DNA sequence: TCAAAAACTTACTTCAGAGTAAGTACCCTA
DNA sequence: TAGGGTACTTACTCTGAAGTAAGTTTTTGA
């Protein structure tokens, strides 16, 4: 059974999703982790040269709180922390693809 | 043929789409126009009580510039202006649906 | 002649998200 | 005992999107 949407409630639902994607750097991070990739903090830093440490952490923490990213800490010296997508996070891929396809279709 | 995406270029592509959706009121407006609906400025005002005239115009103008909304002026007094989605704008519906479905799937 | 209706404009203020730059904790090794 | 590597924190400033509130244009009808 499909939900009944009003313009307001549908807009609200999509807005919740956009909030998850909306940080300045979340999409780049996301696309670096798609396909089951696992990356250290420092690897993401190198992969996204323009990002600052503050921003990288901030975005990762929000993505973790939103349930699309997982954080794994290894208690070593120097420390090691790995980031990967949750299953749910991975499933964003086809949805974002739909947006890309739409954009390509501009008449 | 499918494009070759790097993390950066794919993120960039999606970002372009998000910019089209990202204004504070664009999604609500969009969902009020989906399905071929045609609305006057004043009808949108009434349908979205919290919006101000300034914001409504601003968002509509941006959506027009982005090519998802069409503006039709009737030279009457008092004036009449109608807004509707372009074909391309209509096609956003399934893509946004994919996002809604994804959101419902949260484990 | 003056109000009324619709669709805007304009000037000003507010605030959250982003950037800058520096500092912290931990332990190992030379 | 000093420096190096990794993963963060913190304090501050800056900017642009959004909100507020009032004004503008046009012609018709009382």
């Amino acid at each position: 059974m499909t939900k009944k949407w009003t313009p307001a409630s549908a807009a609200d639902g999509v807005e919740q999703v956009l909030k998850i994607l909306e940080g300045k750097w979340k999409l780049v991070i996301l696309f670096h982790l798609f396909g089951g990739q696992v990356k250290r903090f420092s690897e993401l830093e190198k992969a996204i040269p323009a990002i600052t440490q503050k921003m990288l952490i901030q975005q990762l923490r929000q993505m973790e709180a939103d349930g699309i990213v997982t954080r794994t800490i290894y208690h070593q010296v120097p420390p090691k922390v790995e980031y990967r997508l949750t299953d749910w996070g991975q499933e964003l891929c086809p949805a974002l693809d739909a947006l890309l396809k739409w954009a390509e279709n501009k008449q």
Side-chain angles (χ1 to χ4, degrees), chain A residues 47-63:
Chain A
I48 312 170
I51 203 171
T52 63
Q53 294 188 318
K54 177 201 161 195
M55 277 297 115
L56 181 52
I57 271 275
Q58 191 180 95
Q59 307 287 294
L60 283 168
R61 289 283 156 84
Q62 287 176 19
M63 293 167 85

Side-chain angles (χ1 to χ4, degrees), chain A residues 18-97:
Chain A
L18 292 201
K19 263 187 207 146
I20 293 178
L21 305 174
E22 244 184 35
K24 177 81 183 295
W25 301 97
K26 294 205 188 131
L27 286 172
V28 207
I29 296 172
L30 207 53
F31 279 99
H32 273 285
L33 297 178
F34 270 143
Q37 289 180 83
V38 180
K39 302 248 168 162
R40 299 183 60 169
F41 183 85
S42 51
E43 289 178 306
L44 288 170
E45 254 191 290
K46 270 165 223 154
I48 312 170
I51 203 171
T52 63
Q53 294 188 318
K54 177 201 161 195
M55 277 297 115
L56 181 52
I57 271 275
Q58 191 180 95
Q59 307 287 294
L60 283 168
R61 289 283 156 84
Q62 287 176 19
M63 293 167 85
E64 201 193 350
D66 286 330
I68 61 177
V69 155
T70 293
R71 187 162 167 265
T72 315
I73 309 163
Y74 297 89
H75 293 284
Q76 314 171 343
V77 170
K80 176 178 170 179
V81 180
E82 284 181 345
Y83 294 91
R84 76 194 69 200
L85 294 182
T86 61
D87 291 344
W88 191 51
Q90 288 287 348
E91 284 164 28
L92 253 175
C93 200
L96 296 186
D97 243 47

